[in-house]
Amino acid sequence: MGILIKKISNLFIGYIVIATLTGCGAYYSSRFPKIGLASVRDQEIINEKKVIKTPLARDIKETLPEEETETFKVHEPAGNITLSQVLTLVLMKNPVLSVFSKEIRAREAEIIQAGLLPNPELHFDSEDLANDRLRQFGDGPQIISSLSQVILLGGKRMKRVIAANLTRDLATWDYEVQRMNVLTQTSKNFTAMLNAQEKLDLAKQLMKLAEQVVYVVSKRVERGKTSPVEETKARVALSSVQVELIQAAQEFHAAKKRLAVLWGSTEPKFERAIGQLREISPIPSLEQLTQLIHQNPDLARWTTELAQRKAIVDLEKSEAIPDITVSIGDVLYPGPGDGNPSTNANGLAAGISIPLPVFNRNQGDILAAHHRLAKAKEAQYAARVQIVSDLSTAYQELASARAEAIILNTQTVPGAQSAFDAATRGFRLGKFDFLSVLNAQQTLFDSKAKYLQALTEYHQSIAEVERLIGDRLEVAIHL
C-alpha cells in the first residue's frame, strides 16, 4: 500500500509540473471575452439593441413599444394589426431567424472548444516480462507509470480562440443579413396586404356602382325610354364586377396568409391591416443614398470576414510550429530474490518528444489560407459593385413609382371620376348611351387600380432601398 501511495504522489506531482508548463505554453489573451456557457445567446438576446449592427434594424427595434413585445410574444393577433405589431411578431417568432440564432449558439460553443487544453495521457509500460533467468537487482519486470502532456507552442490556443470569435461574429452578421431580409419582406408583404384591402374595397364600391347602373337602366326600360338590350348589357357588366370582387377577396385572404407566415402562422386571425398606403414623401438623390451603402450588412460583414481570414492565416502559420510532449512518471525496479515487495526500488522517469518539421511544415494550409484571404478581398469589392448596381436599379424603380403615383392621384383618377359622373348624369338625361357609362366606369376602376399598384410599388421600393442602405430614407435626405 505504501508503494502505491508513493506512485500516486509522484504522478500527481508530475501532473502539476506538466500543467504549469502547459499553461505557460498556451497563454490565452485577456483581450478576448471569457469562454463559458453564459456567453451563449438565444434569439431573444440576439434581438437586443446591443447586438444589432444595422442602423435600420436598430431603429425598428427602438420604435417597437415594450408592451407590444410582451402582448404579442405568445398570442396570435386578432382584429386590426399595425406594422409595428407585425414587426414585433416577426422578430420574436420568425422560424428562419430562429434557425440562424441556433447557428450563433453553435459558434459560441466552438469558442469554448477552441479554448480547451489537450487532454493529458496516462501511460503504463512494463519491460522484461516473463524473465526467469536474471536474478540480480533491477532484473525482471519493470513497471513504468507516467503522465504525458502536449504543450502547444506558437500561441495556437490563443489564435484558435481569436479565429473562433471572429467566426462567431460572422454568424452574427449572417443573422443580421437574414434579419434585414425578413424585415424588408415583412414591410413589402404588409404593403401588399394594404393594397389587397384597398382593391377589395374598390371592388365593393364598383359593385355598388354596377348595381346602381342596373337599377337605373331597368327603370328606364320599364318606362320605355331604353331598349331591353341595354339592361342585358348592364347585368352582364354586373356579373363581370362580381367576378372581380371574388378575385379581390381571394387575393385579400392570400395576402393575409403571406403576411402571417412570416411569424410562423398558417391560420391568421387578424381582420385588417392599418397603415398609410397613400402617404408619399420626398426622396433623396442617388448620390446621397450611395454614401450610406457601407451600412448594408452584406457589405459591412466583409470587414469581419477579412479579419477572420487573416486570423486563419496566423493560425495556420502557428500550426507549422511543432508542439512538444513532456512526460514524467515513476519506475518500479524489482528487487533480487523471490520478488519480495520490500526489496523493490522506485525511480523517476522523465521525457520529452519533439516532432521534426522535415516534410510537413503546414505549407499547404498556409498557402490555402493566403489564397482565401485574397479571395475575400476580391469578393468584398464584388459585393460593393453589386450593391451599388442594385441600389441604382431600386432607386429608378422608386422614382418611377413615385412619379406615377403622383400623376395618377392628381390627374388621372380625378379625370376618370369626373368623366364617370358626367356619363352617369348624361345617361339619366338620355344624352349618352349605356356604352359610354360602361366605358367611363371601367376607366375609373382601372385608374384607381393603377394608382393603388403605383402606391404599392412605391412603398415596396422604399423598403428595398432602405434594405440596401441599411437606414431610413430620412437619414439620407439630411446628408
Side-chain angles (χ1 to χ4, degrees), residues 91-156:
L91 286 175
M92 300 301 299
K93 302 172 71 172
N94 182 267
V96 176
L97 292 182
S98 178
V99 170
F100 276 78
S101 68
K102 296 301 186 295
E103 179 61 23
I104 294 179
R105 298 180 67 176
R107 299 291 176 84
E108 292 279 0
E110 291 176 355
I111 297 176
I112 299 173
Q113 186 64 33
L116 299 179
L117 291 170
N119 290 324
E121 295 182 6
L122 180 61
H123 302 270
F124 291 97
D125 300 296
S126 182
E127 298 179 359
D128 293 335
L129 294 175
N131 183 352
D132 56 355
R133 294 180 178 274
L134 300 176
R135 296 297 181 183
Q136 299 300 319
F137 179 81
D139 295 335
Q142 298 180 6
I143 300 176
I144 304 174
S145 305
S146 64
L147 274 174
S148 65
Q149 175 70 55
V150 175
I151 298 180
L152 302 177
L153 300 180
K156 291 185 180 67

Side-chain angles (χ1 to χ4, degrees), residues 271-282:
E271 297 176 2
R272 292 180 65 87
I274 306 300
Q276 301 296 327
L277 185 63
R278 288 178 168 79
E279 181 179 345
I280 298 179
S281 304

Side-chain angles (χ1 to χ4, degrees), residues 305-330:
E305 179 85 20
L306 290 175
Q308 189 249 11
R309 298 292 175 90
K310 291 177 182 178
I312 292 179
V313 170
D314 292 338
L315 176 60
E316 295 298 344
K317 288 181 178 179
S318 70
E319 294 291 346
I321 302 175
D323 301 323
I324 65 174
T325 302
V326 296
S327 61
I328 190 169
D330 177 82

Side-chain angles (χ1 to χ4, degrees), residues 237-295:
L238 177 61
S239 64
S240 298
V241 173
Q242 288 175 338
V243 172
E244 292 177 352
L245 178 60
I246 293 173
Q247 292 176 344
Q250 291 175 343
E251 177 58 28
F252 172 73
H253 291 297
K256 285 179 64 175
K257 289 193 173 182
R258 285 194 296 269
L259 181 61
V261 76
L262 291 172
W263 65 78
S265 174
T266 56
E267 296 295 334
K269 297 180 180 179
F270 70 94
E271 297 176 2
R272 292 180 65 87
I274 306 300
Q276 301 296 327
L277 185 63
R278 288 178 168 79
E279 181 179 345
I280 298 179
S281 304
I283 59 176
S285 65
L286 180 59
E287 290 73 17
Q288 291 173 312
L289 294 173
T290 305
Q291 297 180 40
L292 297 176
I293 63 171
H294 65 277
Q295 298 178 157

Side-chain angles (χ1 to χ4, degrees), residues 17-28 117 151-155 157:
V17 173
I18 292 176
T20 302
L21 293 174
T22 304
C24 295
Y27 169 71
Y28 175 66
L117 291 170
I151 298 180
L152 302 177
L153 300 180
R157 183 171 172 241

Side-chain angles (χ1 to χ4, degrees), residues 152-208:
L152 302 177
L153 300 180
K156 291 185 180 67
R157 183 171 172 241
M158 179 186 69
K159 289 180 172 62
R160 288 171 186 170
V161 173
I162 293 174
N165 269 280
L166 291 170
T167 303
R168 186 274 318 276
D169 292 343
L170 278 179
T172 305
W173 273 116
D174 292 339
Y175 180 90
E176 184 73 8
V177 169
Q178 190 59 38
R179 174 165 48 194
M180 289 295 296
N181 291 338
V182 169
L183 291 175
T184 300
Q185 191 60 49
T186 301
S187 298
K188 290 182 177 181
N189 286 12
F190 189 83
T191 301
M193 177 67 194
L194 294 175
N195 180 42
Q197 284 180 180
E198 294 285 351
K199 284 187 174 180
L200 180 58
D201 293 341
L202 180 60
K204 291 178 180 178
Q205 294 173 10
L206 185 61
M207 185 71 182
K208 290 181 180 179

Side-chain angles (χ1 to χ4, degrees), residues 8 19 42 51 85 90 105-106 127 141 171 180 198 211 237 256 261 299 321 335 339 402 410 422:
I8 294 175
D42 58 15
V51 295
Q85 293 170 351
V90 169
R105 298 180 67 176
E127 298 179 359
M180 289 295 296
E198 294 285 351
E211 289 174 346
K256 285 179 64 175
V261 76
L299 184 59
I321 302 175
R402 181 177 182 273
T410 58

